[in-house]
Amino acid sequence: MALVIDLGAIAANWKSLADKAPGARPGAVVKADAYGLGAARVAPALYAAGARDFFVALAGEGRDIRPLLPEDARIFVLSGHMEGEDLTGLIPVLNSPEQFFRDRALRPKGQFGIQLDSGMNRLGFEPGEWAAIRAEALAAGPQLIMSHLACADEPDHPANAQQLAVFRAMTEGVDAPRALSATGGTLLGPDYHFDLVRLGIGMYGGLPYAEARPVVSLALPVIQTREVKPGESVGYGYSWTATRPARIATVAAGYADGLARALARQGQLRLWAGERSCPVVGRISMDLITVDVTDLPFVPEALEILNARQGIDAVADLGGTIGYEILTSLGHRYPRRYL
Ligand SMILES: *Cc1c(COP(=O)(O)O)cnc(C)c1O
């Protein structure tokens, strides 16, 4: 009756993705608390598996894991060098001329990366801005020059080749290590690998890494069961009404635990008892979900919402979202157990 996080599966997914880019250093993205799974456990497990290059979004996330990793682990901060931020032991990825010039004299030599905008228009130097500081930046010895693909989860999207060409043009003749790809780009093939890849969602068992080992399972305790008669309704808004004598189980989780109301809207969300699944009926409320368990021979102590049969992407589809959002939304009220 817990959120079970398989650290061995995360490490195995990291390794199998790394094997797809044998010429590149396999970096590990542990931003947003390792996609909600607990960076304090995930980052050391990845270090033990061989990862040395870690990526977080914010300096604060980097400060949290810095003491947990040996000195040879590099922690890159994707948001770069923000005003007043303590970057001790961290490597800001500078995104703009403003970030480049901020505290430039205080920055230890080579203690930075550079992000270039190759088309996504989210973060990074525009070509003209880059041209203006390029010589000075390269002379200071950046640890990484990177960009990010906007459409890598769609292999046939023309933006992939366009961004690749722009990145190549912007980094021609540069002798610093280069990085373009996250999980999706890593799967696009060797042209996209460069010197380092930044592996994220695939490690955590999500698409587009279809071969990933599942990482999370989540079982929700059954609080009580009741019999309802045909014509009786269940939950807020009376949105579901029994058409036969039914047994309803109420489980202890809801939208406050990251299981959004929208997941049940199409009426297709199911909870699992071993090999069998049962439909969620009625609305998901803040702390509770109701399930029609009439067809189970007996009601177990807990029902699973995430398991090897129903992964994060299957659940995400039902709510019109993506596996990333399911993972990063998982709450902290249910106990977490690490394998
Ligand atoms: C989040 C992120 C990644 C990891 O992406 P995945 O799709 O999860 O592999 C890599 N690079 C940057 C810049 C990111 O923001």
Side-chain angles (χ1 to χ4, degrees):
M1 285 188 279
L3 177 62
V4 179
I5 297 160
D6 188 342
L7 295 172
I10 295 175
N13 290 333
W14 173 78
K15 279 203 169 110
S16 60
L17 274 168
D19 288 345
K20 297 192 183 293
R25 287 173 71 96
V29 181
V30 295
K31 62 189 179 187
D33 200 23
Y35 291 41
L37 299 183
R41 299 298 301 266
V42 169
L46 287 166
Y47 183 91
R52 294 295 179 268
D53 306 312
F54 294 84
F55 291 83
V56 294
L58 303 174
E61 297 178 325
R63 289 193 295 269
D64 287 345
I65 59 168
R66 184 68 272 181
L68 308 176
L69 295 173
E71 221 167 275
D72 66 339
R74 297 190 293 175
I75 302 174
F76 291 93
V77 178
L78 292 166
S79 64
H81 188 153
M82 302 294 281
E83 181 89 59
E85 201 67 81
D86 176 9
L87 293 163
T88 310
L90 308 175
I91 306 171
V93 178
L94 307 176
N95 292 297
S96 63
E98 193 187 8
Q99 291 197 337
F100 181 73
F101 291 112
R102 178 173 289 149
D103 301 338
R104 180 173 41 149
L106 306 177
R107 200 178 292 140
K109 188 172 162 62
Q111 195 72 359
F112 69 101
I114 293 277
Q115 176 153 214
L116 304 176
D117 178 28
S118 55
M120 189 176 186
N121 286 309
R122 189 178 68 168
L123 280 180
F125 286 83
E126 296 286 328
E129 295 169 336
W130 173 229
I133 62 132
R134 178 179 155 131
E136 188 185 340
L138 292 177
Q143 306 215 4
L144 194 63
I145 299 195
M146 59 167 270
S147 189
H148 192 50
L149 296 169
C151 308
D153 57 342
E154 298 175 56
D156 298 328
H157 200 295
N160 295 320
Q162 285 163 10
Q163 287 196 261
L164 176 62
V166 170
F167 185 61
R168 281 207 175 118
M170 287 177 85
T171 58
E172 213 185 299
V174 158
D175 68 357
R178 293 185 292 173
L180 178 60
S181 288
T183 301
T186 301
L187 298 172
L188 291 179
D191 282 354
Y192 290 84
H193 295 163
F194 293 92
D195 302 303
L196 182 148
V197 289
R198 304 181 304 269
L199 303 172
I201 192 68
M203 300 192 300
Y204 303 108
L207 290 175
Y209 190 33
E211 298 160 33
R213 263 172 63 183
V215 166
V216 292
S217 67
L218 176 56
L220 309 175
V222 174
I223 304 172
Q224 75 171 152
T225 59
R226 74 184 63 250
E227 313 296 327
V228 303
K229 297 190 191 75
E232 286 193 272
S233 298
V234 171
Y236 281 120
Y238 272 18
S239 68
W240 183 85
T241 301
T243 55
R244 59 171 180 168
R247 179 176 300 133
I248 301 298
T250 303
V251 302
Y255 59 76
D257 303 293
L259 304 171
R261 269 170 111 245
L263 300 178
R265 212 173 279 153
Q266 299 173 24
Q268 287 166 18
L269 180 61
R270 302 181 77 86
L271 265 51
W272 293 74
E275 318 244 294
R276 291 167 188 259
S277 70
C278 307
V280 167
V281 295
R283 291 206 182 131
I284 292 177
S285 48
M286 189 184 294
D287 319 297
L288 300 167
I289 297 174
T290 38
V291 189
D292 180 355
V293 294
T294 314
D295 295 330
L296 290 184
F298 69 96
V299 181
E301 282 178 20
L303 293 166
E304 289 177 347
I305 187 163
L306 293 171
N307 60 23
R309 293 183 183 80
Q310 177 168 279
I312 53 172
D313 289 288
V315 170
D317 273 350
L318 298 175
T321 182
I322 53 176
Y324 299 72
E325 196 179 21
I326 298 294
L327 279 184
T328 55
S329 303
L330 290 174
H332 288 268
R333 286 202 297 189
Y334 21 73
R336 288 168 172 237
R337 201 151 61 76
Y338 288 90
L339 301 182

